[in-house]
Amino acid sequence: MPIGEPIVHSSQRDRQLAPLLNSGFLLVGVVNTLLGPILPMLAARWRLHDAEAGSLFIAQFTGAMIGSALSSPMIERWGTLRLMACGYAAMAAAVVCLGVNSWGIGLLSVFSSGFALGLITPATNLLVAEINSERRAAALNILSVAWALGAVAGPPLIALFARDGRLLRPLIGLAALLSFIALLIARRSLTDSSSGPHQPKPNQKDPARFKRSALRAWASPYALLTGGLIFIYVGTETAAGGWIASYAQRLGAARPDWCA
């Protein structure tokens, strides 16, 4: 295949990859909101005050930002599917390690899960767009719905299975599902020609010109405004979703007749 020629994903095997990507992204939504429902149990197990518990969210989103920043060069070096398989495997290991009694290991696990999220999210969006070149918007909307289902259904399901305080049980179950997705993607990467390093695209043949264009885009007032709005949106969503379980628990303890 000549350098710069777009990869054509029109075979039946490529279309069969979509359900696997959507299923994996549903689990990504669960992991993305996992910290909220289990925060009261983690705080009790690790004897954390609020400031230390809040550092878990900082660790998660720091890892996600670093993973997102490194995803592009890692995709070019390893390939999309291989990177996703490693990301899901790392996420599974990080989820299991949340069940240990060590605060240091737990903090590292939260950071690692965020890093894996940062790798998997852009890689999945890129691959879904590539294999659905004629209906990218619809395919990406379905992918977003899968993530939303996981993000909405995950907290109550985790809370249900951990209602007796046995947190390790739902964590192992979630890690097993993530490992299964990692195995399927790794198996697919062994036979998929698109799993290798990406060829440079036509608009990226001149790296200096591409970097100058990117810097001009980031310096525009629209980019700064969009960044500020996303910062406020993500911060508000994280604060509400992450602390609501702890707030409800404390409210119920302070007023036992509240749930009567």
Side-chain angles (χ1 to χ4, degrees):
M1 181 180 293
I3 294 178
E5 182 178 339
I7 301 174
V8 178
H9 298 270
S10 57
S11 68
Q12 182 66 25
R13 292 176 64 249
D14 288 320
R15 285 191 289 269
Q16 291 174 350
L17 183 60
L20 175 60
L21 298 178
N22 290 329
S23 300
F25 222 56
L26 185 146
L27 296 179
V28 168
V30 175
V31 175
N32 196 70
T33 57
L34 175 64
L35 201 53
I38 69 173
L39 185 61
M41 287 175 279
L42 293 180
R45 173 175 295 186
W46 296 333
R47 296 180 175 85
L48 306 178
H49 52 71
D50 287 349
E52 291 173 327
S55 65
L56 294 174
F57 296 103
I58 297 176
Q60 182 184 29
F61 280 90
T62 299
M65 287 189 293
I66 295 175
S68 296
L70 295 178
S71 62
S72 181
M74 293 179 73
I75 287 173
E76 293 179 0
R77 184 176 181 85
W78 290 1
T80 308
L81 288 177
R82 292 173 186 170
L83 180 64
M84 289 172 59
C86 292
Y88 277 107
M91 188 181 293
V95 167
V96 167
C97 289
L98 286 175
V100 303
N101 291 325
S102 171
W103 155 245
I105 295 178
L107 186 64
L108 180 61
S109 299
V110 172
F111 174 85
S112 300
S113 68
F115 183 79
L117 284 169
L119 294 179
I120 293 172
T121 301
T124 304
N125 280 277
L126 173 64
L127 189 55
V128 168
E130 285 186 352
I131 66 178
N132 296 276
S133 57
E134 297 180 356
R135 49 186 297 273
R136 290 179 179 175
L140 289 173
N141 283 337
I142 294 174
L143 186 68
S144 297
V145 170
W147 181 92
L149 288 175
V152 172
L157 287 175
I158 295 294
L160 175 65
F161 287 109
R163 63 185 182 278
D164 55 356
R166 300 176 63 180
L167 179 59
L168 193 58
R169 180 172 53 192
L171 293 181
I172 291 177
L174 178 57
L177 293 175
L178 291 168
S179 299
F180 183 64
I181 294 294
L183 180 63
L184 292 179
I185 294 178
R187 181 181 177 183
R188 178 61 187 266
S189 70
L190 296 177
T191 57
D192 197 317
S193 60
S194 70
S195 64
H198 283 190
Q199 299 291 351
K201 296 181 180 180
N203 62 347
Q204 297 181 3
K205 286 185 177 180
D206 185 354
R209 182 179 179 183
F210 180 77
K211 289 181 179 179
R212 289 194 299 269
S213 176
L215 288 175
R216 285 196 300 269
W218 279 106
S220 69
Y222 300 105
L224 297 176
L225 178 61
T226 302
L229 291 175
I230 292 176
F231 178 84
I232 295 173
Y233 159 69
V234 173
T236 303
E237 180 185 39
T238 303
W243 287 102
I244 190 65
S246 299
Y247 173 73
Q249 184 187 57
R250 294 176 186 179
L251 186 61
R255 295 192 53 188
D257 61 329
W258 180 66
C259 296

